[in-house]
Structure formats: C-alpha cells, structure tokens
Amino acid sequence: MDRASAQTTYLLVDGENIDATLGSNIFGGRRPSPQERPRWERVRDFASETWDRPVKALFFLNASSGQLPLPFIQALLALDYQPIPLSGSTGEKVVDIGIQRTLDALVDRPGDVLLASHDGDFFDQIERLLDGTRRVGLLGFREFVNSRFTELTAEGLEIYDLEDDVRCFNARLPRVRIINIDRFDPLPYL
C-alpha cells in the first residue's frame, strides 16, 4: 500500500450541484453575492483539519460548452484544487459520470473520501466506499442532501453542513432549516 495514498483525504467537489443548490434553492434564482459564495479554501482546509490528513482536492466542472471559466480555473489552481473540466453530449451528466468513475476508482485505493454534493446519483458509490477501511463523508446543505444518504450514517457516513460545520461563507445564508436545539442560538433571529 502506498503510504501517501493511505494518509490522503480525497475531496471531490460537484461544482454544478453546489452552485445549482445555492442559486435555485437558497437564493430563489438570483445569483449569490460574493459574500454568499463558498470559500473553497475553507472547504479544503476543513477536509484536512477534520481528518488530520493531507487533501487531494478535485473540482468537477461541466465544460460541454467548449468554454473554460479561466478566472475560476486559475483561482481553483491557486487554492490547490485540481479542476476537472468535463465535456460530453447535450444532456449528458458529465460531472456526475466523472465523479462516479472517480468514486469507483477510489474503492480499490486507500484513503478517506469527502464528497461535496447533494446528489443521490452517488449513493451506490458512497455505499461501496463504506467498507470499514476508511472514513467517508458528505459535504452539503443538510436540508438538500438526498435523504437516502442519511440511511448510510449508520454505516459510518459522516455528513457535514457547508455553512454550519465547514463555515465556508462570509455571510449568513437565507436558509430555512431544522436546527438541533443544542445548537440553537436565538440572537441571529432577533
């Protein structure tokens, strides 16, 4: 076993899913302001600090239009992410396919896995990764995480909220969500 791989956390970001959730579900179709956008370096740092391992961060993007968002790609590279711009036929879910293939490849590779997505299309791959040899987690907004993933918490899946646990935003998001009474702070609502 490659010692470096065994001590690595693989962070896979479903850029399409997180961005769509912000735009359509949290902000009602409007574009988030810069303060309301995720700070991806905080996500990477959270992955490293939470499981005390170096992180290999992969950011999956749909590039089927033939255009690369170069400023965003450059920012990702500066933040130690490996951008993975994928293209395919119209209607083909290239980001999902790319992440599924990557998760499948990780089954036979040592290391922990964190997936930033809400998408239930990855359920089977995440379930296979929960083999007792690694830690597996999901990053997202709890209220939008596919409900099937909560079934996997009994198998060891850890679910982290991007705003509450990862703290990757500079502003409080206009979310309506269930709040555990132990974490409830009334002051922001007054």
Side-chain angles (χ1 to χ4, degrees), residues 3-67:
R3 186 166 167 75
S5 294
Q7 297 181 4
T8 299
T9 295
Y10 295 94
L11 170 61
L12 285 64
V13 178
D14 181 349
E16 252 189 352
N17 182 267
I18 299 297
D19 194 51
T21 300
L22 278 169
S24 62
N25 294 325
I26 293 178
F27 295 112
R30 77 167 171 84
R31 292 182 59 85
S33 73
Q35 297 297 321
E36 297 167 327
R37 291 206 165 273
R39 298 297 180 250
W40 294 111
E41 71 278 9
R42 292 185 197 165
V43 176
R44 186 204 59 234
D45 292 347
F46 177 84
S48 177
E49 293 164 8
T50 298
W51 290 344
D52 195 28
R53 308 251 178 173
V55 171
K56 176 73 176 170
L58 309 175
F59 199 107
F60 293 81
L61 301 157
N62 187 334
S64 294
S65 69
Q67 300 295 312

Side-chain angles (χ1 to χ4, degrees), residues 15-173:
E16 252 189 352
N17 182 267
I18 299 297
D19 194 51
T21 300
L22 278 169
S24 62
N25 294 325
I26 293 178
F27 295 112
R30 77 167 171 84
R31 292 182 59 85
S33 73
Q35 297 297 321
E36 297 167 327
R37 291 206 165 273
R39 298 297 180 250
W40 294 111
E41 71 278 9
R42 292 185 197 165
V43 176
R44 186 204 59 234
D45 292 347
F46 177 84
S48 177
E49 293 164 8
T50 298
W51 290 344
D52 195 28
R53 308 251 178 173
V55 171
K56 176 73 176 170
L58 309 175
F59 199 107
F60 293 81
L61 301 157
N62 187 334
S64 294
S65 69
Q67 300 295 312
L68 281 177
L70 287 179
F72 187 60
I73 296 285
Q74 291 169 336
L76 288 172
L77 289 167
L79 298 172
D80 292 326
Y81 277 85
Q82 174 61 60
I84 303 181
L86 300 168
S87 68
S89 304
T90 303
E92 194 170 22
K93 297 170 77 174
V94 295
V95 169
D96 287 7
I97 294 167
I99 291 173
Q100 288 169 335
R101 288 181 184 172
T102 305
L103 292 170
D104 285 338
L106 288 170
V107 168
D108 296 322
R109 186 177 188 95
D112 299 331
V113 179
L114 273 171
L115 172 64
S117 182
H118 305 96
D119 199 333
D121 289 345
F122 309 120
F123 181 85
D124 293 338
Q125 288 81 13
I126 294 294
E127 187 174 40
R128 276 195 298 282
L129 286 165
L130 291 165
D131 59 6
T133 66
R134 71 183 88 233
R135 290 173 285 192
V136 181
L138 194 69
L139 305 172
F141 300 106
R142 287 192 204 292
E143 66 271 27
F144 298 114
V145 168
N146 185 288
S147 61
R148 292 184 63 206
F149 283 120
T150 58
E151 300 167 15
L152 296 179
T153 58
E155 307 299 319
L157 180 66
E158 300 175 39
I159 300 177
Y160 300 98
D161 189 273
L162 283 170
E163 184 177 16
D164 296 335
D165 300 318
V166 180
R167 300 187 182 281
C168 68
F169 298 93
N170 286 340
R172 185 165 175 78
L173 301 181

Side-chain angles (χ1 to χ4, degrees), residues 174-187:
R175 296 167 62 193
V176 176
R177 62 189 180 272
I178 298 170
I179 305 165
N180 182 301
I181 192 62
D182 295 335
R183 297 180 79 170
F184 176 66
D185 176 8
L187 294 180

